[in-house]
Amino acid sequence: MVGENDSGSAGGASQRFGLAGLAEAIVETLDQPLLILNVNLTVTDVNSAYCETFGVTAEETRGQPIYRLGNGQWHIPELRRLLEQILSERTTVKGYRIEHKFAEIGKRVMILNARRIAADNGRPELILLTVSDRTEAEQARFELEGHREFQEKLIDSVREGLLVLDWDLKVVRANQTFYDLFQVSPSHTEGRLVYELGNRQWDIPRLRQLLEDVLPDNNAFDDVEVEHEFETIGRRIMILNGRRLDHLDLILLAIRDVTQQRLLEAQQRTLMGELHHRVKNVLASVSALANRSLKESQSLDEFRDRFASRLGAFSRTQDLLMRAPAHSVLLAEVLRLEMEAQGGHEGENFQLDGPDVTLSREATQAFAMAIHELTTNAVKHGAWASPEGRVKVTWTAHRKGNATLISFRWREIGRKIDTAPARKGYGSRVLAELFSHSLDGTSKLTLHPDGAEFIAGFKLQD
């Protein structure tokens, strides 16, 4: 019996030794740093993973209170709370996160798992504490989240509409510009085949060719202009750019709406053509003014004065046209402009009476030059050559088909004039030419003893 007992005892010791050896092997196999503490929180043992991680040896660690390890680097408030408060109420604690800056290895994020093992058969109570360094993992996660946030904000900041497609041409995501531009929502966009978006509004033959034929053989396509009629937003002209992201199995499709830009470009071309035409007309008009002034002048000084006067009138007319909406002005505005430029004052030495009549650009220029001739003559030889002289201007307008017929009368009073001059003035010939050729009308100048009368009729086409 003694022998059997001895044998049994020897077997039990051997078994305990085997289990101890197995435990020691397990501890050393762990790649997580492990501390074994007694109830006084003194280190009884460590594994090699701990020593390698924190750059210490087992000999200088065993027997040290945990808070004195590494010159007190482990005196961490959160660790103290775990060991002295939380673990006193629980047997195990998992996933306890602490963040601490160590003198030797810098700032670290660690996940602690702790287990309290009760005393047994003479073995004292122990605490197993594993330390997982998650610094690099958290940094990688932080950077990944940062990259993801950057990517999302970058996509949403792009002014062009942007679609991210998978290789099956289904929408992974789109930016806000796309949703606003094409008046769709994320719920009706993400996860759907691009051709099915908006009641198949995106089933565009040219887009199919780009995505299915061009991109599989090329990494990109650039600045492809596509014009398409959308059900919700009408006809649009778009510039498409595509990129294939092989490592991510994604396709980027950028859509720039250039409809308004193309419209403005067309308008600009029209305006440039109109400007070219008007510049030619202006130059032709200035040349005509010069020739006209030269023919009726007896000296260089007289030519200079006549030409400068007419050029000033022409310039005033151009200013009036530029200020007027759609470059059309009222007949009364032209009269006031020229008559006031020659010293006239409405209600004092001239009076206007007639309905609103709108003149086209061409009619405005011709009519203004005619009024300039009349006012210049009134200042030099007519009613305004004396303080008592007055000018009354009246006109009527009548519709006939697609045109407006204008009857115009200029009557000067208060100044005695010669009713039978020796020769016909050049100004009267200019007036006749302006109304007959430029305004497609007729005119007649009559000299009364108390002042000149000029009557004209002309037609304004709609």
Side-chain angles (χ1 to χ4, degrees), residues 188-250:
H188 291 90
T189 304
E190 294 179 3
R192 301 187 64 181
L193 187 67
V194 65
Y195 306 132
E196 296 175 353
L197 298 180
N199 279 335
R200 302 191 68 83
Q201 291 185 82
W202 282 88
D203 194 1
I204 306 170
R206 182 61 171 141
L207 179 61
R208 274 187 177 272
Q209 181 191 17
L210 292 170
L211 295 178
E212 298 176 13
D213 298 336
V214 176
L215 269 187
D217 297 326
N218 301 278
N219 289 324
F221 58 82
D222 293 306
D223 298 332
V224 179
E225 187 167 313
V226 174
E227 187 169 351
H228 184 66
E229 183 77 30
F230 289 89
E231 182 179 315
T232 53
I233 59 174
R235 180 160 293 277
R236 284 291 185 271
I237 303 172
M238 302 171 293
I239 299 294
L240 305 182
N241 287 277
R243 291 292 182 275
R244 194 181 71 203
L245 308 180
D246 292 338
H247 295 294
L248 299 175
D249 292 346
L250 294 175

Side-chain angles (χ1 to χ4, degrees), residues 271-305:
L271 289 174
M272 289 302 293
E274 184 180 349
L275 178 62
H276 178 70
H277 176 70
R278 288 179 179 177
V279 168
K280 289 178 64 178
N281 285 345
V282 166
L283 293 175
S285 298
V286 171
S287 178
L289 291 179
N291 290 333
R292 186 181 303 156
S293 301
L294 183 61
K295 289 180 180 179
E296 61 185 85
S297 301
Q298 301 299 317
S299 67
L300 185 60
D301 288 342
E302 186 179 357
F303 165 75
R304 181 193 61 204
D305 293 343

Side-chain angles (χ1 to χ4, degrees), residues 88 190 272 303 329 345 400 409:
S88 65
E190 294 179 3
M272 289 302 293
F303 165 75
V329 297
H345 299 281
K400 186 175 182 181
R409 180 174 183 263

Side-chain angles (χ1 to χ4, degrees), residues 332-390:
E333 289 183 279
V334 178
L335 285 164
R336 288 191 184 95
L337 180 69
E338 284 304 315
M339 297 179 81
E340 289 174 358
Q342 297 293 342
H345 299 281
E346 188 171 4
E348 296 180 13
N349 60 357
F350 78 88
Q351 178 183 350
L352 304 181
D353 185 16
D356 287 344
V357 174
T358 301
L359 302 176
S360 66
R361 167 175 284 273
E362 291 74 15
T364 298
Q365 291 176 338
F367 185 73
M369 294 310 300
I371 301 305
H372 176 71
E373 295 297 329
L374 287 169
T375 55
T376 301
N377 188 72
V379 169
K380 290 181 178 180
H381 312 292
W384 287 352
S386 68
E388 296 79 14
R390 300 288 185 272

Side-chain angles (χ1 to χ4, degrees), residues 32 95-98 107-113 131-141:
Q32 291 178 309
Y96 190 81
R97 184 183 184 277
I98 64 172
K107 188 175 182 180
R108 285 290 184 268
V109 177
M110 297 172 292
I111 302 298
L112 306 182
N113 292 302
V131 183
S132 297
D133 188 347
R134 296 290 179 86
T135 308
E136 293 183 1
E138 288 217 1
Q139 182 64 28
R141 181 177 60 81

